[in-house]
Amino acid sequence: MRKLNNLNITRSIESRKLITEESWWDKFDTFTNYFMFLALIVSSILALGSVKSSANSDLEYFLYGSGLFFGLYGFYCKFTEKHLKEIKFTIHKEDAKQRILEYGKKYNYRISKISNNLIFLNEPTSGYTLGNYEKTIMIFFKNESILYTLIKEGARLNVPVLFSQHIVRIDLKKILTQAKIKNKTKKSYFSLFFFKD
């Protein structure tokens, strides 16, 4: 998990942004990510401007346009990485915590930092990198909602979480808003036909 020095839980919840002390390495890492995505954006814009009409120009527009979109999206993801997104629910706060812990166990997350208002769900980022690097879902609890974000650590750069954040949002919304399923005994066809509830 990425080191978050002196994470202030109360201020993070109030400001809806991770409040931590950043080291010079964290600042350099952020600058490097911004630089990479800006380089991709600028080079894609320059390439789009130099495309000349031909039989292959549609393919060139698509490739350079995709590069531009990816650069803009990556820049946005890095910029909003420490912003906390909110999901509201109508269940009791303790029930919400229990559901999230069950979700973490079901999908084999390493659950850590369990406190009154904070849970970390950690999973390995990749089996191809050296070292034990993780992607972390940080979940802060309010009375009727959660605030969450995903951060990732890497061998050299802590690039932002680009796509799995959308899957996590769908999963969290689903488990926090669905009704609790009651365990019912399975009825036979005969009893379903003649004895209706």
Side-chain angles (χ1 to χ4, degrees):
M1 191 182 101
R2 248 162 83 178
K3 288 182 181 177
L4 297 169
N5 299 323
N6 296 327
L7 175 63
N8 190 318
I9 297 171
T10 307
R11 283 187 58 210
S12 294
I13 291 172
E14 288 170 359
S15 65
R16 295 180 62 165
K17 186 177 180 180
L18 292 182
I19 305 296
T20 63
E21 290 179 7
E22 285 190 312
S23 66
W24 68 270
W25 176 254
D26 293 327
K27 291 175 183 174
F28 178 74
D29 175 77
T30 302
F31 172 78
T32 306
N33 272 278
Y34 284 149
F35 179 77
M36 285 186 336
F37 289 121
L38 278 174
L40 182 59
I41 292 166
V42 171
S43 61
S44 297
I45 291 171
L46 293 174
L48 279 169
S50 66
V51 174
K52 294 177 182 174
S53 294
S54 67
N56 295 327
S57 63
D58 288 345
L59 179 61
E60 290 180 77
Y61 278 121
F62 175 76
L63 290 174
Y64 297 137
S66 298
L68 177 61
F69 173 77
F70 184 77
L72 288 168
Y73 179 67
F75 189 92
Y76 170 79
C77 287
K78 188 63 184 177
F79 183 74
T80 59
E81 179 181 53
K82 292 186 178 179
H83 291 78
L84 302 174
K85 295 107 184 155
E86 186 171 25
I87 297 176
K88 297 192 175 192
F89 53 80
T90 56
I91 59 176
H92 193 273
K93 182 178 174 181
E94 292 304 317
D95 189 19
K97 285 181 189 176
Q98 191 57 40
R99 289 186 186 195
I100 287 173
L101 289 172
E102 286 170 9
Y103 168 79
K105 288 173 188 170
K106 180 180 177 182
Y107 292 103
N108 298 316
Y109 284 96
R110 184 178 63 79
I111 302 168
S112 63
K113 203 78 173 178
I114 301 172
S115 72
N116 190 33
N117 290 320
L118 177 63
I119 294 175
F120 290 172
L121 302 177
N122 306 287
E123 70 173 337
T125 53
S126 172
Y128 303 110
T129 58
L130 298 172
N132 297 320
Y133 299 108
E134 292 180 320
K135 177 174 62 179
T136 302
I137 307 170
M138 303 180 67
I139 302 170
F140 296 84
F141 289 89
K142 294 173 73 176
N143 287 332
E144 296 173 350
S145 66
I146 61 166
L147 299 171
Y148 78 97
T149 191
L150 275 76
I151 58 172
K152 192 160 81 171
E153 66 177 342
R156 289 193 170 83
L157 289 175
N158 294 320
V159 294
V161 177
L162 297 174
F163 303 109
S164 60
Q165 61 181 310
H166 304 295
I167 296 166
V168 166
R169 180 172 184 80
I170 291 167
D171 284 350
L172 291 176
K173 271 184 113 167
K174 184 178 176 184
I175 63 173
L176 291 173
T177 57
Q178 72 183 2
K180 202 75 169 171
I181 299 168
K182 294 178 182 176
N183 292 329
K184 291 186 177 179
T185 55
K186 191 175 180 181
K187 295 181 179 180
S188 67
Y189 176 77
F190 180 79
S191 62
L192 283 171
F193 187 75
F194 286 105
F195 304 106
K196 293 182 180 177
D197 289 339

